């Protein structure tokens, strides 16, 4: 799924929200608490399948407009992700504007929790970049529609575990299509970003017999990986990584990883990673296909985390959640098969399947109603 295009003088964020085909969001809430410094955007893209579910990103955006665009992109991605994960949830996302290292406080998180609670269950939040299990424990003190909490507070803990597991399942499916076997044994995999999710993905790859190369903007993250797995190679940055001899490229940091320059430089013939919104603009998916690069749609393979937090609402059972995340392998294979049959890139095939499920749900009369209140 492609990103909402950046705004120009003639195309504002509001136009994207109300007039663009890439918008179509049901509700966008701007939140501010002057006392704590909270500035947040909560975007609900769709509640066709149920209450919107998606994490809270805490990031130092260059501008408020950039923050709104990111919330729109991410929430739309969650609608598609949740649809293909088979969840009874629509898509939503929130962003908090600011440097979490300096701005985040208990009072700010409590204020944010009150804003989420004011939506009455239309939005269920969780962790994302810049927020952690301990943060969700604080948010949950003001908002019962909070997942990603610690086990001692009734939650499932770190959702990165099943996110990485799901990405690995998608990568296995891509390996089966590209090389005939669902394994990464003997393949060289480049992982860009070895933080919350990437570090778990590296472990799956090592255990499967892959050769792993990593990079991260935080040297401490790289050192933690190479200390645990001395056989892992580290390179200086993403530019070096994508130009290295690779079989698989796994973007696991922020979005927009697949732009024109990166696609032209890639040596890998499979792209499968945990980052959201990897396609920098419309048309990148076709460029990948034209180069013979098999792209596993990001919102399909990174759905393990949202599967985990959705299960938390039912009374969490890790084995049950892992079994559902394992099905990402089958879903990814089905998308590759649909793409081949229709003569379209896998990203387009995934979009069609997700849109079909959302369209079928719109006539059920349960859109946006919290499950516990449905008849």
């Amino acid at each position: 799924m492609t990103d909402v295009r950046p705004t120009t003088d003639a195309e504002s964020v509001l136009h994207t929200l109300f007039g663009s085909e890439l918008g179509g969001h049901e509700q966008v809430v701007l939140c501010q608490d002057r006392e704590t410094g909270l500035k947040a955007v909560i975007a609900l893209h769709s509640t066709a399948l149920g209450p919107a579910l998606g994490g809270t990103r805490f990031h130092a955006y260059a501008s408020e407009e950039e923050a709104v665009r990111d919330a729109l992109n991410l929430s739309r991605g969650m609608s598609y992700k949740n649809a293909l994960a088979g969840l009874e949830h629509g898509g939503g996302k929130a962003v908090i504007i600011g440097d979490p290292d300096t701005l985040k406080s208990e009072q700010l998180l409590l204020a944010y929790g009150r804003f989420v609670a004011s939506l009455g269950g239309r939005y269920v939040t969780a962790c994302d970049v810049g927020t952690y299990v301990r943060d969700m424990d604080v948010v949950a003190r003001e908002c019962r529609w909070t997942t990603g909490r610690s086990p001692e507070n009734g939650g499932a803990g770190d959702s990165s575990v099943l996110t990485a597991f799901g990405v690995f399942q998608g990568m296995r499916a891509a390996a089966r299509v590209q090389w005939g076997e669902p394994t990464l044994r003997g393949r060289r995999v480049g992982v860009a970003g070895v933080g919350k999710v990437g570090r778990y993905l590296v472990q799956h790859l090592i255990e499967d017999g892959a050769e792993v190369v990593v990079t991260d903007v935080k040297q401490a993250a790289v050192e933690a990986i190479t200390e645990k797995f001395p056989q892992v190679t580290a390179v200086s940055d993403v530019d070096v990584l994508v130009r290295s001899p690779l079989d698989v490229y796994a973007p696991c940091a922020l979005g927009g990883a697949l732009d024109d320059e990166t696609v032209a430089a890639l040596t890998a013939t499979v792209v499968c990673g945990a980052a959201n919104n990897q396609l920098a603009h419309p048309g990148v998916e076709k460029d990948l296909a034209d180069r013979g690069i098999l792209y596993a749609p990001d919102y399909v393979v990174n759905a393990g985390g949202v599967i985990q937090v959705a299960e938390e609402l039912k009374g969490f059972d890790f084995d049950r959640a892992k079994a559902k995340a394992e099905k990402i392998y089958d879903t990814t294979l089905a998308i590759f098969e649909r793409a081949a049959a229709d003569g379209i890139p896998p990203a387009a095939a995934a979009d069609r399947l997700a849109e079909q499920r959302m369209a079928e749900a719109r006539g059920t009369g349960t859109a946006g109603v919290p499950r516990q209140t449905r008849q």
Side-chain angles (χ1 to χ4, degrees), residues 290-307:
D290 289 346
R291 288 206 58 214
I293 299 170
L294 183 64
Y295 170 63
D298 49 47
Y299 66 83
V300 177
V301 302
N302 68 14
V306 75
I307 289 171

Side-chain angles (χ1 to χ4, degrees), residues 10-352:
E11 185 172 353
S12 67
V13 170
L14 285 178
H15 173 77
T16 298
L17 177 61
F18 291 127
S20 169
E21 292 181 0
L22 295 177
H25 294 69
E26 293 180 8
Q27 185 177 10
V28 177
V29 181
L30 304 181
C31 312
Q32 180 171 224
D33 182 75
R34 292 183 181 275
E35 185 175 339
T36 63
L38 172 71
K39 291 182 180 179
V41 183
I42 303 173
L44 308 186
H45 176 260
S46 172
T47 56
L49 292 168
L53 172 62
T56 297
R57 177 165 296 189
F58 205 139
H59 182 66
Y61 291 95
S63 67
E64 286 85 358
E65 290 77 13
E66 181 184 328
V68 174
R69 285 198 299 272
D70 201 31
L72 296 178
N73 282 328
L74 292 167
S75 61
R76 183 172 182 268
M78 290 306 303
S79 288
Y80 284 67
K81 179 186 296 189
N82 294 342
L84 286 184
L87 302 178
E88 293 182 350
H89 285 282
K93 204 79 170 189
V95 302
I96 298 175
I97 304 169
D99 183 347
D101 292 337
T102 58
L103 183 62
K104 188 188 297 181
S105 68
E106 180 181 32
Q107 291 305 312
L108 181 146
L109 293 171
L110 290 171
Y112 171 68
R114 290 191 289 273
F115 280 114
V116 176
S118 73
L119 295 173
R122 279 174 52 79
Y123 171 57
V124 181
T125 195
C127 302
D128 196 72
V129 174
T131 59
Y132 302 88
V133 170
R134 61 182 179 271
D135 299 326
M136 293 303 108
D137 283 345
V138 175
V139 173
R141 285 157 52 187
E142 291 285 357
C143 177
R144 65 189 179 97
W145 294 288
T146 304
T147 61
R149 292 164 291 151
S150 63
E152 55 268 32
N153 283 286
D158 186 5
S159 63
S160 301
V161 174
L162 286 188
T163 301
F165 179 71
V167 172
F168 179 62
Q169 298 308 314
M171 203 177 287
R172 290 179 59 241
R176 176 177 168 180
V177 170
Q178 200 77 325
W179 302 300
E181 292 185 313
T183 178
L184 283 305
R185 180 171 299 278
R187 301 294 172 185
R188 196 165 194 255
V189 183
V191 182
V194 285
K196 293 174 73 172
V197 177
R199 61 193 174 111
Y200 292 114
L201 178 60
V202 169
Q203 181 167 338
H204 289 300
L205 293 167
I206 293 295
E207 291 172 351
D208 197 37
E211 179 185 354
V212 180
V213 187
V214 304
T215 192
D216 196 292
V217 295
K218 295 183 177 179
Q219 186 59 29
V222 173
E223 291 173 357
I225 288 292
T226 54
E227 182 177 340
K228 185 174 183 180
F229 304 107
Q231 65 269 54
V232 170
T233 302
V235 296
S236 58
D237 56 39
V238 173
D239 287 341
V240 173
L241 182 66
V242 298
R243 289 169 171 79
S244 303
L246 298 174
D247 295 300
V248 181
Y249 174 50
C252 294
L254 296 177
L258 299 172
D259 55 20
D260 296 336
E261 183 179 355
T262 300
V263 171
L266 271 174
T267 62
T269 55
V270 168
V271 173
C272 178
N276 288 308
N277 296 332
Q278 292 172 26
L279 303 178
H281 60 78
V284 174
E285 70 280 7
K286 184 177 185 302
D287 294 339
L288 288 165
D290 289 346
R291 288 206 58 214
I293 299 170
L294 183 64
Y295 170 63
D298 49 47
Y299 66 83
V300 177
V301 302
N302 68 14
V306 75
I307 289 171
Q308 177 171 321
V309 296
E311 284 294 307
E312 190 175 312
L313 296 171
K314 304 174 183 178
F316 185 68
D317 180 274
F318 182 81
D319 290 337
R320 184 179 65 202
K322 185 176 181 181
K324 289 188 176 183
E326 194 167 10
K327 294 178 182 178
I328 290 173
Y329 174 86
D330 297 321
T331 302
T332 308
L333 272 184
I335 286 165
F336 290 147
E337 291 168 0
R338 172 75 177 264
D342 292 354
I344 57 176
D351 283 2
R352 287 184 183 181

Side-chain angles (χ1 to χ4, degrees), residues 48-49 352-365:
L49 292 168
R352 287 184 183 181
L353 288 171
E355 288 162 0
Q356 180 180 338
R357 182 167 188 239
M358 287 187 280
E360 290 170 351
R362 287 190 182 100
T364 64

